[in-house]
Amino acid sequence: QERLVESGGDSVQSGGSLRLSCAASGYSINSYYMGWVRQDPGTQREAVAVIDSDGTTQYAESVKGRFTISQNNAKNGLYLEMNNLKPEDSAMYYCAAVHRAIAMSINRAFGVIAQEGFGNWGQGTQVTVSS
């Protein structure tokens, strides 16, 4: 059974750091692009970062230079290191996966991973950044 379980969300002050983790069971990381998406109430879900099995990454412009996505293929673990957090980073963060047969490239994976019908997501972990 496929399952994505996130952890690591917390409340921090602006400028702080957090590390999110995702345990991906039932997924072969070699068959999926993995990533993180986020959603604030009243806004659309947006892609934050995506990683390919060879380590290639893509980030949203708003998080470049501050966030780092990584994965542990042997343990089916996915991580998001978040530094210099800003209040606008506050959101529910979801671990996400999109099958290679659907995305076919990391660019397309980044474009669709947050969309209904394309990406699979976990239950989310809340990140709150106060100013």
Side-chain angles (χ1 to χ4, degrees), residues 18-22 29 32-37 47-60 63-72 77-83 93-97 106 110 113:
L18 284 174
R19 186 175 190 254
L20 305 184
S21 298
C22 172
I29 286 183
Y32 288 83
Y33 293 98
M34 303 297 294
W36 292 91
V37 304
V48 175
V50 172
I51 188 167
D52 199 347
S53 58
D54 66 358
T56 304
T57 58
Q58 187 163 339
Y59 295 93
V63 306
K64 278 184 180 178
R66 301 188 297 122
F67 290 13
T68 303
I69 187 172
S70 62
Q71 63 186 7
N72 183 325
L78 184 72
Y79 312 96
L80 186 68
E81 188 77 34
M82 304 186 294
N83 297 312
Y93 282 71
Y94 300 89
C95 180
I106 193 169
F110 188 86
I113 198 167

Side-chain angles (χ1 to χ4, degrees), residues 79-103:
Y79 312 96
L80 186 68
E81 188 77 34
M82 304 186 294
N83 297 312
N84 191 21
L85 282 160
K86 304 175 181 181
E88 52 264 40
D89 294 318
S90 297
M92 187 72 79
Y93 282 71
Y94 300 89
C95 180
V98 58
H99 200 281
R100 290 183 177 279
I102 295 174

Side-chain angles (χ1 to χ4, degrees), residues 102-121:
I102 295 174
M104 295 186 287
S105 74
I106 193 169
N107 286 340
R108 176 158 170 79
F110 188 86
V112 302
I113 198 167
Q115 296 181 24
E116 290 281 353
F118 290 94
N120 300 324
W121 315 294

